[in-house]
């Protein structure tokens, strides 16, 4: 498999001859005026949407927040044959297939096999955060002869990481949304994994290669990639984490 980090949570994943786009966010830096707050994007995408090439599947953890699905990303969705997200997103956006927790869909591979995508639970903040921030999904990708890949989405719950790890072990690659995102709407509680949480998630996920995303490019990310790498180094797990250079396709064994 190969993965290309575009910025924020956005990445392109090549697996089993299918190309997946995770959380499309391709706007240039700007402020978004939202009810009661402003979200500020600091850096643009390493690869513009127009230069992506064909995408087979979009994996959208949730549609309500601009850092996970912005205006340019939303405009891209109609060109993507399969768009998977939450059941709520399927109501709000035409053409989206919503996956309930633990619900799976089989996607045909060009070689005649399938990749099974399962929606898995995510909690975007502390208990009860759904009432303020909405529902989020993660994804697990599986296929014969392929690594099993976990995409966490905006999840802050280590308990859910353990539940997913127990169901799908062994997980080979985990794309973890970290950055300790915060908002005043929830008294600056962590809405995604902190660096310390990401280290604990790595322990829970056993031997999985950890690919962190969602750590930079927006003002509400409070812990950057350097802080995350330092946490893994302090824990003696530096060899488990792969920080990706933006815009560069990286092969993962």
């Amino acid at each position: 498999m190969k993965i290309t980090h575009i910025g924020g949570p956005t990445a392109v994943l090549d697996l089993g001859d299918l190309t997946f786009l995770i959380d499309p966010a391709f706007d240039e830096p700007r402020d978004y005026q939202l009810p009661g707050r402003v979200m500020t994007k600091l850096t643009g995408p390493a690869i513009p949407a127009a230069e992506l090439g064909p995408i087979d599947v979009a994996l959208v953890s949730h549609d309500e927040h601009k850092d996970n699905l912005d205006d340019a990303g939303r405009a891209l969705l109609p060109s993507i044959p399969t768009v998977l997200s939450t059941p709520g997103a399927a109501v709000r956006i035409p053409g989206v297939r919503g996956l309930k927790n633990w619900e799976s869909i089989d996607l045909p591979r060009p070689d005649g096999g399938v990749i099974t995508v399962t929606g898995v639970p995510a909690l975007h903040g502390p208990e009860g955060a759904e009432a303020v921030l909405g529902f989020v999904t993660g994804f697990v990708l599986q296929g014969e002869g392929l690594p099993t890949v976990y995409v966490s989405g905006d999840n802050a719950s280590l308990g859910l990481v353990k539940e997913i790890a127990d169901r799908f072990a062994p997980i080979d690659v985990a794309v973890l949304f970290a950055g300790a995102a915060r908002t005043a709407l929830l008294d600056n509680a962590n809405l995604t994994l902190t660096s310390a949480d990401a280290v604990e998630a790595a322990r829970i996920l056993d031997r999985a290669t950890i690919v962190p995303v969602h750590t930079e490019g927006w003002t509400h990310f409070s812990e950057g990639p350097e802080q995350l790498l330092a946490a893994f180094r302090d824990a003696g797990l530096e060899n488990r984490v792969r920080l990706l250079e933006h815009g560069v396709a990286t092969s993962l064994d």
Side-chain angles (χ1 to χ4, degrees):
M1 62 167 285
K2 291 183 179 179
I3 186 167
T4 307
H5 190 190
I6 292 171
T10 308
V12 174
L13 178 67
D14 294 301
L15 182 70
D17 292 325
L18 291 177
T19 301
F20 296 82
L21 177 61
I22 300 168
D23 277 10
F26 290 93
D27 287 350
E28 293 299 324
R30 55 172 288 189
D31 290 336
Y32 298 92
Q33 183 63 56
L34 305 174
R37 68 193 194 282
V38 174
M39 289 183 68
T40 300
K41 186 174 187 179
L42 300 173
T43 58
I47 302 173
E51 297 178 13
L52 283 179
I55 300 294
D56 299 302
V57 186
L59 304 176
V60 182
S61 65
H62 57 302
D63 64 304
E64 295 99 327
H65 299 151
K66 293 292 188 178
D67 55 327
N68 302 91
L69 182 66
D70 63 11
D71 298 342
R74 191 177 292 262
L76 186 64
L77 295 185
S79 69
I80 300 175
T82 301
V83 180
L84 304 177
S85 190
T86 64
V91 173
R92 291 182 287 267
I93 304 176
V96 171
R97 165 70 185 270
L99 292 178
K100 299 176 183 177
N101 288 340
W102 315 119
E103 182 181 2
S104 298
I105 181 174
D106 287 339
L107 304 177
R109 294 166 55 180
D111 64 4
V114 299
I115 291 180
T116 300
V117 180
T118 303
V120 296
L123 179 59
H124 197 1
E127 292 293 335
E130 300 96 334
V132 177
L133 298 178
F135 289 88
V136 177
T137 188
F139 304 92
V140 172
L141 284 59
Q142 299 169 290
E144 185 176 355
L146 300 175
T148 295
V149 181
Y150 166 46
V151 179
S152 74
D154 275 359
N155 173 57
S157 169
L158 289 172
L160 290 179
V161 173
K162 186 176 189 313
E163 188 174 352
I164 292 160
D166 289 344
R167 284 194 181 224
F168 294 97
I171 291 173
D172 300 294
V173 176
V175 181
L176 295 184
F177 289 31
R182 294 173 181 168
T183 175
L185 291 178
L186 288 174
D187 296 323
N188 288 316
N190 293 316
L191 310 182
T192 54
L193 297 175
T194 66
S195 298
D197 289 338
V199 168
E200 186 57 32
R203 293 191 175 106
I204 293 169
L205 292 161
D206 196 16
R207 295 183 297 274
T209 297
I210 305 300
V211 179
V213 298
H214 201 283
T215 62
E216 39 60 47
W218 294 77
T219 56
H220 59 284
F221 299 163
S222 65
E223 297 182 6
E226 297 82 5
Q227 189 167 348
L228 184 142
L229 184 58
F232 272 79
R233 185 181 298 117
D234 292 345
L237 296 176
E238 186 177 3
N239 64 324
R240 294 274 310 284
V241 66
R242 294 289 298 273
L243 282 178
L244 304 182
E245 181 181 352
H246 287 185
V248 177
T250 303
S251 296
L252 299 179
D253 298 330

